[in-house]
Amino acid sequence: MLLSMDRVTSYYGKTPILKDFSFGVQQGKCVCVLGRNGVGKTTLMRTIMGLTDRSVGDIAIEGQNINSSPTYLRAKLGIGYVPQGRGILSEFTVRENILLGTFARHDGRSEIPEICLQMFPDLKVSLDRRAGLLSGGQKQQLAIARALAVDPKILLLDEPTEGIQPNIVHEIGETLLTLNRKFGITLLLTEQHIRVARRLGDTFLMVDNGRVVANGPMAELTDGVIHKYLTI
């Protein structure tokens, strides 16, 4: 397994949000994490990055336990992160935002990787533009480009299509498909759009109340499972 969690419980303060959480992501695959709002999907991503108050259990990247490692070391081991809300620095330029990702590279390179410019030509012509002036879709592209600048083995994306107009949702989906299928970057993403999840995912992970309640190949994401865990 490229990334694995074994019986992980993750806390904010004294409150456990993830509970006895176990799963794995194989190299080169795309895993879609599904569930209603507030069930722990974002906490899962933050736990992997070491951004919750405390977690117990085993989190490993290529067999190396990282649960006691600080966030910057997890990034250096090859984890790129696109947080919910994107986390773009509005007063920085597009170029400066992307270059922030290079600080976590294991090889010490500090220039914008070609893959960022290849995947996002709109950003290539806007490198010296202030990031706060970009559209919502362009900001999401920028957040992905910044994570790619880490040179990740696995890319964590928390709601990458949230708050984006429908035609841009399709573009983001195609971008992620290319990163996974052409460039071989492993993906773990939380997603609300079932159609997007089915298009991208090799497997799914359904979360409810901080626990894994269903998982398997995407073909097993039936309408019954969706109705049980996603219908309000």
Side-chain angles (χ1 to χ4, degrees):
M1 289 290 177
L2 175 60
L3 173 70
S4 63
M5 295 178 68
D6 184 30
R7 304 189 69 177
V8 172
T9 298
S10 188
Y11 297 82
Y12 289 123
K14 296 182 179 180
T15 304
I17 306 300
L18 293 188
K19 304 159 189 173
D20 203 28
F21 206 98
S22 300
F23 82 108
V25 184
Q26 294 182 353
Q27 173 71 45
K29 299 298 184 180
C30 175
V31 178
C32 292
V33 182
L34 306 168
R36 298 183 182 95
N37 289 334
V39 299
K41 301 189 303 297
T42 292
T43 299
L44 169 61
M45 298 297 197
R46 291 178 58 82
T47 298
I48 294 170
M49 293 307 301
L51 296 171
T52 60
D53 292 340
R54 180 171 66 95
S55 64
V56 296
D58 293 330
I59 305 171
I61 183 86
E62 295 185 314
Q64 179 177 340
N65 195 320
I66 61 171
N67 200 29
S68 61
S69 300
T71 297
Y72 78 91
L73 285 182
R74 301 183 193 211
K76 283 185 175 293
L77 287 171
I79 305 177
Y81 180 43
V82 180
Q84 188 176 36
R86 307 179 187 111
I88 294 303
L89 299 181
S90 297
E91 297 302 316
F92 283 34
T93 65
V94 169
R95 184 193 309 275
E96 289 167 336
N97 271 276
I98 297 174
L99 287 174
L100 285 173
T102 66
F103 284 93
R105 290 181 69 95
H106 60 89
D107 60 9
R109 296 179 64 180
S110 58
E111 67 271 10
I112 296 176
E114 182 59 33
I115 188 175
C116 300
L117 305 179
Q118 180 181 345
M119 293 301 303
F120 304 113
D122 285 351
L123 299 182
K124 184 176 182 178
V125 299
S126 304
L127 288 175
D128 296 313
R129 188 180 185 193
R130 190 163 62 85
L133 300 177
L134 300 178
S135 68
Q138 290 171 328
K139 287 178 181 177
Q140 187 60 281
Q141 291 179 351
L142 179 56
I144 296 171
R146 181 182 58 196
L148 287 175
V150 175
D151 189 25
K153 298 173 184 175
I154 183 169
L155 197 56
L156 312 184
L157 302 109
D158 194 2
E159 302 284 4
T161 62
E162 183 181 40
I164 297 175
Q165 59 194 38
N167 62 314
I168 306 300
V169 168
H170 177 75
E171 289 183 15
I172 294 293
E174 290 300 303
T175 296
L176 297 179
L177 199 63
T178 298
L179 291 174
N180 181 234
R181 305 286 170 83
K182 180 179 179 180
F183 292 99
I185 298 174
T186 306
L187 302 180
L188 175 66
L189 63 141
T190 67
E191 185 53 68
Q192 291 287 346
H193 292 83
I194 296 300
R195 184 175 298 178
V196 173
R198 282 177 164 157
R199 173 81 172 113
L200 295 177
D202 297 297
T203 61
F204 76 94
L205 194 71
M206 188 69 72
V207 180
D208 191 44
N209 193 30
R211 300 180 186 273
V212 178
V213 292
N215 67 293
M218 192 56 70
E220 295 180 7
L221 180 62
T222 63
D223 291 342
V225 172
I226 292 170
H227 179 77
K228 183 175 182 179
Y229 294 111
L230 293 179
T231 303
I232 298 175

